[in-house]
């Protein structure tokens, strides 16, 4: 049998209706191909802000850059700037939306890819998110209750640990330092 007749047999078998079914191995190779296609060309490096956006740890690249500038992104334990180059094997810690994500880079990619492909590019070592019951509910008001009154607002601020003064919210814990650096009265005694 010749090579052409073998390929003709394969194509006729594929035409019999088995092409609609995807095996897990086929989809896995498609994910790997997509990740390779999204990778840098010719040994180029990838910025950390672009990488955390590409693997869907943050929603936009500008949020990733802002997180880096604010010190919320660490690579191998050190705070990094948005232009820091990411390499395979680096541990990236991202503090975003009240949760810390800890991932180890498996594949460096430049373009944003789908969630299944993005999951192939890192090992997730993040602690599990807290259960929904443990999260304090945000002050939910009854529908139609209108704006909170001044009394309601003061009660909400008291629950948050804030106290209102004449100049705005003031923390009630700890001593306050005056302009001279000492605690106590802001005015100096008259001589």
């Amino acid at each position: 049998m010749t090579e052409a007749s073998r390929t003709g047999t394969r194509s006729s078998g594929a035409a019999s209706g088995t092409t609609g079914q995807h095996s897990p191995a086929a989809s896995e190779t498609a994910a790997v191909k997509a990740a390779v296609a999204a990778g840098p060309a010719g040994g180029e490096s990838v910025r950390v802000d672009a990488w955390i956006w590409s693997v869907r740890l943050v929603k936009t690249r500008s949020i990733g850059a802002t997180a880096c500038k604010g010190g919320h992104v660490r690579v191998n334990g050190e705070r990094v700037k948005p232009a820091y180059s990411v390499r395979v094997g680096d541990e990236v810690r991202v503090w975003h939306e009240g949760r810390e994500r800890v991932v180890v880079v498996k594949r460096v990619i430049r373009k944003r890819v789908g969630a299944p492909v993005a999951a192939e590019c890192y090992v997730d070592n993040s602690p599990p998110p807290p259960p929904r019951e443990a999260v304090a509910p945000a002050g939910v008001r009854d529908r139609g209750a209108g704006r909170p009154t001044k009394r309601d607002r003061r009660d909400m601020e008291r629950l948050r640990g804030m106290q209102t003064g004449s100049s705005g919210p003031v923390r009630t814990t700890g001593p306050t330092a005056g302009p001279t650096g000492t605690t106590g009265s802001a005015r100096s005694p008259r001589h």
Side-chain angles (χ1 to χ4, degrees), residues 87-150:
R87 296 181 189 96
V88 175
D90 285 346
E91 180 189 59
V92 179
R93 292 177 176 262
V94 179
W95 183 263
H96 181 63
E97 294 180 348
R99 181 174 176 222
E100 184 180 31
R101 300 288 308 267
V102 181
V103 296
V104 177
V105 180
K106 274 178 40 178
R107 180 169 283 124
V108 178
I109 61 173
R110 173 182 308 274
K111 298 177 185 174
R112 191 164 170 100
V113 293
V117 178
E120 301 265 333
C121 296
Y122 60 86
V123 178
D124 195 359
N125 294 331
S126 303
R132 289 187 165 239
E133 298 84 33
V135 177
V140 179
R141 295 180 53 86
D142 293 332
R143 186 171 178 91
R147 285 179 60 178
T149 62
K150 188 180 237 183

Side-chain angles (χ1 to χ4, degrees), residues 7 11 16 50 55 59 61 63 92-93 118 127 140 142 149 169 172:
T7 57
S11 64
S16 66
V55 296
K59 287 186 179 181
R61 184 168 172 182
I63 291 174
V92 179
R93 292 177 176 262
V140 179
D142 293 332
T149 62
T172 59

